[in-house]
Amino acid sequence: MGHVPSDIEIAQQATLRPIVDVAAELGLGADDLDLYGKYKAKIALEVAERPARGKLVLVTGINPTAAGEGKTTTAVGVTQALRRIGHNATLCIREPSLGPVFGVKGGAAGGGYAQVLPMEDINLHFTGDFHAISSAHALLAAMLDNHLHQGNTLGIDSRRITWPRTIDMNDRALRDCVIGLGGVANGVVREERWVIIPASEVMAIVALATSPADLEQRLGRIIVGSTAGSDRRPVRASDLKASGAMAMLLKDAIRPNLVQTLEGGPAFVHAGPFGNIAHGCNSILATRSALSLSDVVVTEAGFGSDLGAEKFFDIKCRFGGLDPQAAVLVATVRALKMNGGASKNALKQEDISALERGLPNLERHIENVRQFGVPVVVGVNRFTTDSDRELQMVAECAERAGAHVALNEVWEKGGEGGVELARAVMSLLGEGKARFAPIYEATAPIREKIDTIVRKVYGGDGADYAPKAERSIQYLESIGLGETPVCMAKTQYSLTDDASVLGRPRGFRITVNEVYPAAGAGFVVAQAGDIMTMPGLPKEPAAERMAIRPDGSIVGLF
């Protein structure tokens, strides 16, 4: 393999098509677009109301490792490949958060020759959606503290406030704070915490809202805390009369953003909830819009099938009335060897025994997707160091587990490197064998839903509950939140709640430490293990390598 330039070099060398031309290919005219410069546009909300004509394909993966898997890159690349072989295909992915961009992860616009453009804009402020979400979230926080300061007629217990503040940056110092210091004029002294914007409930709501009216209703249902005394009545954003102004701040942010792939095809990049805390999917409005405009829609869900895919199927598809017809499961020989105990430094050497120990992880993820009634193709992201024997072992394992297999070289070759995978996807769609259904009824008790996910998706023996979680479940069911889907918050690195347990563990239980409402989003969150809603920066943040040149071009943004 020759030298492949950095992602930003590739992006900067690309010739972009005017976004009006990309839109015209989808049948969208000037009245359907609000332009943000020449290469970005927001589309009219009414597009999402048109009848769906396309088939929906999910891109998910095995458990991520430090070796990298390339889920977003694969989603972009397979969309490019589908267009190369003559299909009207559109991509739907999430917007990146600034925190990881400047932290350790870098950008989230794909990589190599499978990217969405303009990459610098998408990874930075884009069309301002994250800022609007931050402002709407901050308005509710300000109105809540103002209510406490102005006499607290709702009787909110300041020790039971659950609405945090938010910022789109990794800043560990904000995890636990005290606010309101400095005397009577500065409000009520209380403990406070910040979450990163992808962990904000407003982000989850923007991604799940199906219309402006639905958005406002969901915002009104947000629970900010509860009253003092034994009755603990939930206090909502609607009680603070905040939801109208919040919806107004979000009126443009809920409109999908249209950009393009490196090869000039249409891409919707909209909303960005994290997959280990929130539901990890792009917006229902973007996905519905794409389904009304194209024949095949490729979308992606965060992290492995145990997190992103499960929430895509059980939460997003349920709320959005979506019917996925096929899935791509991204895997690499390198990551499977790490799941089998190989060290990160030894991944370039052939290691049959480590691969053999890691392959059960792949089997589990194939079973996960198939049990939702969705056929799956394993897209093996090929590295030059993978031996033919290792690739053959992965293919044989996948086929035994009932999945098709295709090699995938989109990072190095763009759409051309994804043709085999694109043909495998079209073959699955042509067979028409999908019979999608969520794996639990939303009306089942909370414990039963959690137990189903642990047993069927993680392969565990069930869940145990900390006393705090026990009390929360009882409370949530008493206030009418027992009949919503469950959003599991756990580590992405393991099928268990312990990041160090790799492969396909069996005979384990997970411990649910906390269960809390996301009443506006329409689910309850069950938190297991140590999950951070506010990440920190690493010792050497990616930001240290970034700069803007005198000619205005950017360096260091991956």
Side-chain angles (χ1 to χ4, degrees), residues 12 14 24 62 66 87 97-98 100 106 114 137 139 152 201 252 254 277 286-288 299 377 419 434 443 516 518 540:
Q12 287 169 343
I62 60 172
H87 298 285
S97 161
L98 289 175
H137 186 121
L139 175 65
N152 192 12
E201 189 180 343
D252 291 326
I254 63 163
I277 304 162
T287 304
R288 280 191 182 172
T299 191
V377 54
V419 167
T443 51
Y516 54 87
E540 295 177 2

Side-chain angles (χ1 to χ4, degrees), residues 353-394:
S353 61
L355 181 58
E356 206 159 359
R357 290 192 302 273
L359 282 171
N361 185 267
L362 175 64
E363 290 167 6
R364 174 81 250 170
H365 288 286
I366 292 169
E367 289 165 25
N368 278 352
V369 178
R370 291 187 72 209
Q371 69 181 324
F372 286 95
V374 178
V376 62
V377 54
V378 175
V380 181
N381 240 348
R382 185 173 193 168
F383 285 74
T384 47
T385 52
D386 300 341
S387 75
D388 290 344
R389 192 171 166 207
E390 287 173 328
L391 290 165
Q392 184 63 30
M393 281 176 68
V394 173

Side-chain angles (χ1 to χ4, degrees), residues 18-353:
I19 201 66
V20 289
D21 294 351
V22 178
E25 249 180 56
L26 291 172
L28 294 171
D31 290 346
D32 300 312
L33 305 177
D34 269 344
L35 299 180
Y36 284 63
K38 287 185 281 191
Y39 306 115
K40 309 185 291 278
K42 280 196 171 284
I43 66 162
L45 284 172
E46 65 84 17
V47 175
E49 293 165 19
R50 298 177 189 174
R53 63 176 232 224
K55 291 182 175 176
L56 184 57
V57 178
L58 173 71
V59 176
T60 183
I62 60 172
N63 289 103
T65 66
E69 286 63 61
K71 230 177 21 284
T72 305
T73 303
T74 299
V76 179
V78 78
T79 310
Q80 292 177 169
L82 285 164
R83 288 177 59 79
R84 271 180 183 250
I85 59 174
H87 298 285
N88 173 3
T90 297
L91 174 70
C92 281
I93 58 174
R94 292 171 295 163
E95 299 178 46
S97 161
L98 289 175
V101 165
F102 292 110
V104 69
K105 190 166 180 266
Y113 288 95
Q115 298 188 48
V116 278
L117 302 176
M119 180 262 237
E120 295 106 311
D121 295 12
I122 292 165
N123 277 317
L124 295 175
H125 305 284
F126 201 19
T127 56
D129 295 346
F130 273 49
H131 301 307
I133 289 166
S134 172
S135 297
H137 186 121
L139 175 65
L140 180 55
M143 288 178 75
L144 170 59
D145 276 296
N146 184 56
H147 183 86
L148 297 178
H149 177 69
Q150 303 288 1
N152 192 12
T153 54
L154 290 169
I156 300 167
D157 187 338
S158 62
R159 299 163 304 175
R160 286 182 171 156
I161 287 171
T162 51
W163 189 248
R165 279 173 158 79
T166 193
I167 183 173
D168 196 30
M169 200 53 64
N170 293 3
D171 192 348
R172 65 172 59 80
L174 295 177
R175 286 176 190 157
D176 292 288
C177 307
V178 175
I179 61 168
L181 298 173
V184 178
N186 293 357
V188 174
V189 177
R190 65 178 186 88
E191 291 184 50
E192 182 56 292
R193 64 192 175 93
W194 266 254
V195 299
I196 194 165
I197 289 182
S200 161
E201 189 180 343
V202 178
M203 176 64 81
I205 288 170
V206 166
L208 292 172
T210 54
S211 68
D214 180 49
L215 173 77
E216 187 166 343
Q217 286 163 7
R218 287 175 180 274
L219 292 168
R221 291 199 295 267
I222 291 171
I223 293 174
V224 298
S226 59
T227 56
S230 55
D231 66 332
R232 283 188 63 201
R233 186 181 63 78
V235 178
R236 299 177 187 266
S238 56
D239 297 322
L240 292 165
K241 302 184 177 67
S243 50
M246 291 171 75
M248 184 183 72
L249 281 168
L250 297 168
K251 69 181 177 63
D252 291 326
I254 63 163
R255 295 172 59 189
N257 305 300
L258 178 65
V259 288
Q260 62 192 284
T261 67
L262 192 72
E263 298 180 8
F268 287 109
V269 179
H270 192 221
F274 277 166
N276 55 352
I277 304 162
H279 59 86
C281 304
N282 78 305
S283 74
I284 286 174
L285 286 168
T287 304
R288 280 191 182 172
S289 298
L291 287 167
S292 78
L293 297 167
S294 41
D295 298 331
V296 183
V297 175
V298 177
T299 191
E300 174 218 7
F303 299 123
S305 76
D306 53 318
L307 284 167
E310 184 272 313
K311 295 171 189 181
F312 171 80
F313 292 137
D314 282 327
I315 297 175
K316 179 178 175 179
C317 290
R318 195 191 303 261
F319 286 156
L322 303 173
D323 186 19
Q325 294 294 298
V328 175
L329 182 70
V330 179
T332 63
V333 168
R334 297 155 59 92
L336 288 166
K337 287 194 287 196
M338 279 194 88
N339 265 291
S343 78
K344 189 181 176 183
N345 305 326
L347 297 177
K348 291 182 178 177
Q349 285 89 49
E350 182 179 89
D351 190 339
I352 299 301
S353 61

